[in-house]
Amino acid sequence: MGLGKLLHDHAEHAEAGGTIDHPRAYEIFTSIGYGGGRRAAFTRVAMQARPRAGHRILDVGCGTGYLTRILAPVVTPSGHVTGVDPSPPMVEYARRRAPGNCTYVVGEGQSLPFPDGSFDAVVSSLAVHHIPGDARPRALREMFRVLRPGGRLVIAEFRPPASPLAARLVGMLTGPAMRHDPRDLLGSLIPDAGFQIEDEGDLPGLLYYVRAIRPGR
């Protein structure tokens, strides 16, 4: 698959709430897009979850498992990282590269196949905009449900460049679904689901994050 076709499909599927089903091409695209800074950017996302040895962490919309593989050594073999994604090809790609303390499941954020309070942290990067708009509140409630009281949620989303020209170029490449202001995209979804927001801000790699906590102990 050519890069141009991948960009078109990514934009079309993101706007429609669909899946991305070409993991190798996606990996090439994102590696090029981050210009060598991908690992640094997603390490910053991972660290926002405050991972520790022994933690159980869920990555919603895990894609190729890139973020899970960053988290896996931090939680050590005594911990576990689970990825969930609606695309079987993405999940299969992640499974083939999985460390021993990672597992992957085909599923949707709005219907997570896990018991209540299963995880110490829930992360989701560049995934909320793929969830159909009317299903996003349910997806956030599901993240709340599977997180233990006192656990953390980290949502990271794309933020357009500050330069109008750069933002226009990005929009031409990726389509309307990636032109959003992440603050508008997320709106009040996180507090409405019951979370208390701890922090939010910009990260490298044109990312914006929100870190929140599920109240209680």
Side-chain angles (χ1 to χ4, degrees), residues 43-166:
T43 296
R44 293 281 296 275
V45 173
M47 292 306 101
Q48 288 297 327
R50 305 293 191 265
R52 296 180 182 176
H55 270 185
R56 300 158 299 157
I57 299 181
L58 174 66
D59 182 4
V60 177
C62 66
T64 59
Y66 189 80
L67 183 58
T68 64
R69 293 192 296 274
I70 291 175
L71 286 161
V74 183
V75 301
T76 74
S78 65
H80 199 85
V81 185
T82 302
V84 60
D85 197 276
S87 168
M90 289 294 212
V91 167
E92 180 57 31
Y93 184 97
R95 283 173 178 161
R96 290 199 301 267
R97 289 152 182 80
N101 62 340
C102 286
T103 56
Y104 301 93
V105 177
V106 176
E108 296 184 330
Q110 56 269 40
S111 184
L112 294 173
F114 309 108
D116 297 357
S118 299
F119 300 97
D120 299 291
V122 174
V123 298
S124 184
S125 61
L126 303 177
V128 170
H129 70 268
H130 285 287
I131 300 172
D134 60 356
R136 289 171 191 161
R138 189 163 70 252
L140 266 295
R141 291 195 298 269
E142 280 289 275
M143 295 180 203
F144 184 93
R145 178 184 65 78
V146 302
L147 189 62
R148 67 165 174 81
R152 282 189 172 86
L153 170 76
V154 175
I155 302 283
E157 268 295 337
F158 176 80
R159 57 179 173 86
S163 161
L165 177 59

Side-chain angles (χ1 to χ4, degrees), residues 195-217:
F195 292 100
Q196 293 180 355
I197 293 178
E198 288 187 319
D199 196 18
E200 58 186 300
D202 295 342
L203 291 174
L206 296 179
L207 294 174
Y208 166 83
Y209 78 94
V210 178
R211 186 179 72 241
I213 192 167
R214 174 175 173 169
R217 288 291 176 188

